[in-house]
Amino acid sequence: MMTAEAITNAGVLDLAEMSVRDANATLQAATEGAFTLRNPGGRHALACGLMHPVSVTVEGHAGYYCGGMNKEAEITIRGNAGTGVAENIMSGIVRVTGDASQSAGATGHGGLVVIEGNASARCGISMKGVDIVVGGNVGHMSAFMAQAGNLVVLGDAGEDLGDSIYEARLFVRGSVKRLGTDCIEKEMRPEHVAIVAGLLDRAGLFADPSEFRRYGSARRLYNFKIDNVGSY
Amino acid sequence: MCGIVGLYLKDEALQPRLGALMAKMLAEMTERGPDSAGFAVYRDGPPVPTLSCLGPVGFDWDAAAASLASATGTTVDVERIADHALLRVAGDLRAARAHLIDAFPAIDVLATGEAIEIFKGVGDPMEVARVFGLEGRSGTHGIAHTRMATESAVTIAGSHPFSTGPDTCLVHNGSLSNHFLLRGFLEARGEKLQTENDSEVAAAFLSWRMREGDTLKEALEAALKRLDGFYTLTIGTRDGFAVLRDPIACKPAVLAETDQWVAMASEFRAIAQLPGVEHARIWEPEPGVVYSWGGEGMRAAA
């Protein structure tokens, strides 16, 4: 049996043999190193609340809220993720090699969320500075009330993209089924192409940045003052 | 919140293990619905017309069977399990159901059909599974439900699945906001509802549409227009099952398919223990899209 001391900086945590609570306590206590979570079995709240630059690989499908509140850690889910993956991420990277369910990256303040497959409804809901790159499609109501950050979608977006959006930037390569209230298409200027190119590079996904179209707020719905634009 | 699971077997070799596989799936959904539970199993083997019934403590099932035999002019056998009874009849199941509901207000007819059997109870879902022997049951497919009640009382009859017609049943995660109006509409068209539950109204709606000639797919498409509220529905039929989520996808669902089975659950963890899951195609059903599986009859229906 592994001791807590032996796995402080590296190790395999097998959820067939230990509880999620114990596994998370080990990950949260580590300040560096690489860990593998085996047999996740769709359990909820895996690798949550990590505050140090550790690396975690989840070998299989995760349940709800995996990688929630992440700060500095790099988490890779080798499979699908349930509702709210990387919710309220502060920094670091959360990567899903499969699909993500609803509300991926919800309320994220910073860091990078990469969904290599599809994300379903409400991806990036209320995002507050996080960057989200989705290799496939996003479902309806994505970037709902998004406040800051970038959402890059290599596939298509569902209905009501960017509904009630504040100041986040939305980049979609494919079709948008319907734009949400107060969300409009905007000019794709060279600096936006550069943003998309940089995010694709960080995400390790390949696409021509010039193929993306940009969407954002028409600023008719909230009380926007041009004098304050520098604050955003 | 509620939990739903469904398992449709493609590989006949798994049929003896249907109940055991479903019990593990149901156990994982206990946290989503700890107040009551129920399951429907579609038996393998030859058709046996059966009414799955629930009655109060001390209910005289033999008297009910005798009354039913006399009213329908057929023989009726009784198999009792706890507060349930399976009445095996020959003849018109719809007429038998109507007779029991009219003549014995104390009982609930949970299901009628040639393959379906439904059992339900309040309390710990695994205790409900144990009392009714889910683990030992064989069959072709089944659906099950763990309930966290929102719209009506925690009662045995208010537990899911709800029967939607011969060999057809439904489980529901969500809540309907127009069930009261729809109830009156459906009762005026001859549907016999037995509880105050909103999900039973959804079941009766599908039953009414299919009695009017809709295929299951058409009935579910009509439901998309008429049911107001949140729902993930899983529907069992004689030889298949279907899944439908409301257009804004308020309630979760995961589908998984291998060469041996198709599984549906509210969350992946209920599917995680199925044999061969590491090779399954796993996806989240799109909102407002009807998904269905089954044999020739089911394909024709869908």
Side-chain angles (χ1 to χ4, degrees), chain A residues 55-69:
Chain A
S55 159
V56 179
T57 302
V58 179
E59 291 288 356
H61 306 304
Y64 291 6
Y65 312 127
C66 184
M69 301 174 285

Side-chain angles (χ1 to χ4, degrees), chain B residues 252-298:
Chain B
V254 177
L255 284 166
E257 183 167 15
T258 70
D259 292 341
Q260 289 185 297
W261 45 259
V262 179
M264 181 277 169
S266 297
E267 299 174 25
F268 173 75
R269 60 184 164 137
I271 295 171
Q273 297 179 65
L274 289 176
V277 70
E278 60 276 16
H279 307 300
R281 183 170 83 91
I282 299 164
W283 75 103
E284 184 170 307
E286 294 280 335
V289 175
V290 177
Y291 293 82
S292 62
W293 286 265
E296 289 306 314
M298 179 67 185

